[in-house]
Amino acid sequence: MNNAVMENGTTVDGGAKADLAADPVMPMRAFELRVSAVAQLTPHFRRLTFQGTDLELFGSNVDGQTLDLRVKVMIPSPGHALPELSNIRGSLQEDWYQGWLAVDESRRGVMRTYTVRALRPSVPASADGPGDPAELDIDFVLHLDGGSGPAAEWAAAARPGDTLMLVGPCARWGDCLGIEYAPGEAERVLLVGDETAVPAIAAILETLPPHISGHAVLEVPSAEDFLDISTPANVEVRWLARGAKDHGEELSRHVRALVVPAACEVGEEPEDVDVDATILWETPAATAGHGLYAWIAGEAATIKALRRYLVRDVGMDRNSVAFMGYWRKGQALS
Ligand SMILES: Cc1cc2nc3c(=O)[nH]c(=O)nc-3n(C[C@H](O)[C@H](O)[C@H](O)COP(=O)(O)OP(=O)(O)OC[C@H]3O[C@@H](n4cnc5c(N)ncnc54)[C@H](O)[C@@H]3O)c2cc1C
């Protein structure tokens, strides 16, 4: 949890304050954000930086990290600056999602899931300078060729000053909801993902301590989408360019080369998940042992195939792997 909010509800930079007196402490909060900077990182990655009056209230884990923290963004409907949501403001009640669904489609905007790529707390004004407001980065994948969608299109056109509503964890609540990365005492990691998981894997890699070893395998549309990711850990980062190949083909090939089944051990067949009807989401709460922890996310059918390989063919302990379908080919998911 970040501690930048004072007991009386003011923020450390003394800037605009959220009116917290009448605001109950709840796990989730709606944040009205404004785009403060835009950076086209590569042809398919566009980073939007956001500021907002109560962004100091945005939560993180006890170490101030966001790892793979997911948030919901509400993309404004065409012709509207922000979704018109009088019932989704400040601290959110548990039924906020039903409240959002109850708003007329033309006014509620479109909800999508994204990862916090970075969260920077405010820097208070001092003799050295005027200080800086808190900021939050999201890296949007621009999947505009072929199956485009409202979030990718909004991000592609976004300019400083544009506004967005975001639902994320509240720093005043003890636990930070939305982080799945839970390696426990594992000393080796395998981080696997397509471009939608790159922001999460990059944020995780930046926090890993030096004694952790392993591999990160990332498949992106083209070699021009390779990013510089730094890590203090002994983790080899492998970038794979998809080019004209099928989605996930390269990822699969590399994971199979890295993690080889033992000659005489076979695991259980994992129960089937219909990725067209259900979200593939298997995340162990706590990982046992000091061995390998795997975190795998991306297009659901690719992740399902990797799950079968790692669980059945390799015999990996399911308590040591997080499998997450981040999107499904041909479907819009909120
Ligand atoms: C926990 C979590 C974290 C995520 N973090 C990020 C993140 O940090 N950055 C990010 O860019 N995405 C992230 N995603 C994925 C993102 O939510 C989806 O890609 C989402 O569908 C984008 O919404 P849209 O409105 O652009 O497209 P939609 O309206 O949802 O979909 C329209 C069409 O586009 C297709 N489509 C969706 N995404 C892609 C894609 N990446 N490539 C090709 N086709 C696609 C769909 O299959 C559909 O046919 C995350 C998802 C989850 C669940």
Side-chain angles (χ1 to χ4, degrees):
M1 189 171 85
N2 87 47
N3 291 319
V5 185
M6 319 287 262
E7 281 298 300
N8 63 1
T10 61
T11 58
V12 284
D13 62 355
K17 299 160 197 162
D19 177 15
L20 300 181
D23 212 6
V25 178
M26 296 297 286
M28 303 301 283
R29 194 173 171 86
F31 297 87
E32 273 186 37
L33 301 179
R34 190 183 62 260
V35 176
S36 59
V38 176
Q40 190 69 44
L41 303 178
T42 72
H44 292 92
F45 285 114
R46 188 167 170 90
R47 175 166 301 164
L48 302 187
T49 298
F50 297 93
Q51 296 177 358
T53 51
D54 56 356
L55 197 51
E56 285 293 353
L57 293 171
F58 194 91
S60 55
N61 74 6
V62 283
D63 298 317
Q65 301 163 341
T66 51
L67 302 168
D68 59 347
L69 174 54
R70 65 179 175 274
V71 291
K72 295 287 182 190
V73 298
M74 293 175 198
I75 305 298
S77 311
H80 299 260
L82 273 179
E84 292 171 29
L85 304 169
S86 55
N87 54 347
I88 300 187
R89 288 274 179 275
S91 283
L92 295 178
Q93 299 299 322
E94 274 164 17
D95 62 352
W96 70 268
Y97 181 68
Q98 287 71 26
W100 177 77
L101 281 180
V103 177
D104 186 79
E105 254 185 298
S106 63
R107 294 187 296 115
R108 73 177 180 225
V110 168
M111 193 184 304
R112 296 286 183 266
T113 311
Y114 280 85
T115 305
V116 174
R117 174 63 185 86
L119 176 68
R120 290 177 293 281
S122 63
V123 177
S126 71
D128 297 330
D132 292 311
E135 286 187 322
L136 183 150
D137 295 337
I138 295 181
D139 289 356
F140 287 82
V141 174
L142 304 184
H143 57 97
L144 305 175
D145 8 299
S148 175
E153 284 172 16
W154 182 86
R159 298 282 175 272
D162 289 355
T163 49
L164 182 87
M165 183 83 88
L166 180 148
V167 171
C170 179
R172 299 162 74 208
W173 189 260
D175 280 339
C176 173
L177 302 189
I179 292 179
E180 301 293 350
Y181 181 75
E185 299 300 314
E187 288 175 355
R188 281 183 302 129
V189 292
L190 174 66
L191 308 170
V192 178
D194 66 14
E195 56 269 43
T196 61
V198 166
I201 292 177
I204 290 168
L205 281 170
E206 285 167 357
T207 67
L208 290 180
H211 73 275
I212 301 291
S213 62
H215 291 87
V217 189
L218 303 161
E219 182 188 293
V220 291
S222 75
E224 290 173 89
D225 293 306
F226 295 176
L227 294 166
D228 280 333
I229 299 181
S230 62
T231 178
N234 185 22
V235 174
E236 185 196 333
V237 180
R238 289 193 190 172
W239 287 97
L240 311 171
R242 181 176 312 122
K245 296 202 184 91
D246 281 347
H247 198 104
E249 192 181 321
E250 281 291 284
L251 213 50
S252 239
R253 199 163 64 79
H254 274 74
V255 171
R256 282 164 192 266
L258 268 176
V259 190
V260 182
C264 54
E265 238 179 79
V266 178
E268 276 174 37
E269 176 79 36
E271 72 285 358
D272 193 29
V273 174
D274 178 357
V275 290
D276 289 317
T278 328
I279 293 174
L280 173 57
W281 200 268
E282 255 181 50
T283 54
T287 306
H290 294 261
L292 176 68
Y293 170 76
W295 182 104
I296 298 170
E299 199 282 324
T302 302
I303 303 309
K304 177 177 164 175
L306 286 173
R307 171 177 172 263
R308 191 160 192 242
Y309 173 70
L310 291 172
V311 172
R312 189 195 60 173
D313 300 346
V314 175
M316 266 192 86
D317 177 356
R318 286 165 77 167
N319 286 324
S320 299
V321 196
F323 297 104
M324 291 154 290
Y326 268 18
W327 62 284
R328 175 72 187 114
K329 221 180 233 180
Q331 280 188 23
L333 302 177
S334 62

